[in-house]
Amino acid sequence: MLFIVGLGLGDEKDITLRGLEAVKKCEKVYIEAYTSLLSFGLSSDGLSTLEKLYGKSITLADREIVEEKADGILSEARESDVAFLVVGDPFGATTHSDLVVRAKKMGLEVKVVHNASVMNAIGVYIRVKEPSLESLCRGRKQYEPPRYMTINTAIEQLLEVEKTQGGSAYNEDTDCVGFARLGSEDQMIVAGTMRQLQTIDFGTPLHCLVIVGKTHPVEEEMLDFYKFRGESLERIDDGTI
């Protein structure tokens, strides 16, 4: 059987009880390592943290393995239980849906264990292992270094598009909310105008940006709780709310 297990947003403790039970019963455990990342990253130390909790050795599965060598993972799932760990929710990326389709075509039983995802908390741009345009033109694989869009860059590009298109959809005074490292101990949430958020250093990835639309009074109260006030941030959320 193939288990596709969501790990949640923050660290190793965000896995659900159902997910942990699934991992512990599997003979082989992979962790998908290119559509997202946990707060502590996927270094040897990060993997060790996961392995200690799960009591299993974990194999790092990068883009090439998942998209081009997935048949190897699925073949193992024919013979024994295999866990495929995904940061966030299993269906936060089309790659994972494709894995399920492949497994079903092979007649494999698949069990999905859902978890919290940035997709149901916001939306995010991330490029962890992408081939360069030059390498694609030359017909050989040469990957670019990891890139993560920051809130500041997102706002800059949005304002540039608005200036070019002139649709009056938003401007520097449009209210937004910036999120960084959702689900982590040091997560950061700040509400303010585009102009204000551009002045803030949100730190390490992952970042999310929401453009605020028509709000309910209760939503306005919540936004006020995270409002940017001058040079200092009155509120940097620590994950308790």
Side-chain angles (χ1 to χ4, degrees), residues 9-11 38-40 178-190 201-207 233 235-240:
L9 294 170
D11 58 25
L38 291 171
S39 59
F40 49 66
F179 302 80
R181 300 170 301 285
L182 279 174
S184 302
E185 291 289 331
D186 64 341
Q187 75 173 26
M188 186 175 178
I189 304 175
V190 186
D201 179 4
F202 282 88
T204 56
L206 296 170
H207 290 189
L233 297 178
R235 174 71 177 175
I236 299 179
D237 188 63
D238 60 2
T240 59

Side-chain angles (χ1 to χ4, degrees), residues 205-216:
L206 296 170
H207 290 189
C208 304
L209 176 69
V210 170
I211 297 177
V212 179
K214 185 177 181 180
T215 54
H216 184 276

Side-chain angles (χ1 to χ4, degrees), residues 112-130:
V112 177
V113 183
H114 292 283
N115 206 323
S117 168
V118 74
M119 296 299 291
N120 57 21
I122 320 292
V124 64
Y125 172 91
I126 178 172
R127 297 170 69 92
V128 177
K129 191 174 183 182
E130 294 286 339

Side-chain angles (χ1 to χ4, degrees), residues 13-187:
K13 296 177 183 177
D14 282 354
I15 191 171
T16 64
L17 289 175
R18 189 183 301 275
L20 185 58
E21 288 174 358
V23 171
K24 286 183 177 292
K25 70 183 291 185
C26 289
E27 291 188 21
K28 193 70 180 284
V29 180
Y30 292 88
I31 183 166
E32 187 266 285
Y34 77 92
T35 62
S36 194
L37 73 166
L38 291 171
S39 59
F40 49 66
L42 291 175
S43 62
S44 57
D45 289 341
L47 283 179
S48 176
T49 301
L50 292 174
E51 290 172 340
K52 286 177 182 176
L53 177 62
Y54 304 159
K56 296 284 183 177
S57 175
I58 299 175
T59 301
L60 208 61
D62 64 8
R63 181 170 193 159
E64 189 171 354
I65 291 175
V66 177
E67 293 189 347
E68 299 178 19
K69 300 178 182 178
D71 287 346
I73 297 175
L74 298 178
S75 294
E76 290 175 336
R78 278 186 181 278
E79 307 299 329
S80 61
D81 289 335
V82 174
F84 186 78
L85 310 182
V86 177
V87 177
D89 186 82
F91 294 137
T94 53
T95 296
H96 312 140
S97 300
D98 179 64
L99 190 64
V100 173
V101 171
R102 292 195 206 184
K104 291 292 187 181
K105 286 182 177 179
M106 291 176 63
L108 286 174
E109 188 175 359
V110 180
K111 181 168 286 189
V112 177
V113 183
H114 292 283
N115 206 323
S117 168
V118 74
M119 296 299 291
N120 57 21
I122 320 292
V124 64
Y125 172 91
I126 178 172
R127 297 170 69 92
V128 177
K129 191 174 183 182
E130 294 286 339
S132 65
L133 178 60
E134 183 180 357
S135 70
L136 288 175
C137 292
R138 293 181 177 179
R140 63 184 185 187
K141 291 179 181 176
Q142 187 172 6
Y143 295 104
E144 297 178 336
R147 290 185 291 165
Y148 311 93
M149 180 174 283
T150 65
I151 290 166
N152 312 76
T153 299
I155 292 174
E156 180 183 348
Q157 292 186 2
L158 285 168
L159 291 175
E160 184 178 339
V161 170
E162 177 58 37
K163 183 178 180 180
T164 303
Q165 300 297 323
S168 300
Y170 47 80
N171 56 47
E172 289 185 322
D173 295 319
T174 298
D175 287 328
C176 297
V177 186
F179 302 80
R181 300 170 301 285
L182 279 174
S184 302
E185 291 289 331
D186 64 341
Q187 75 173 26

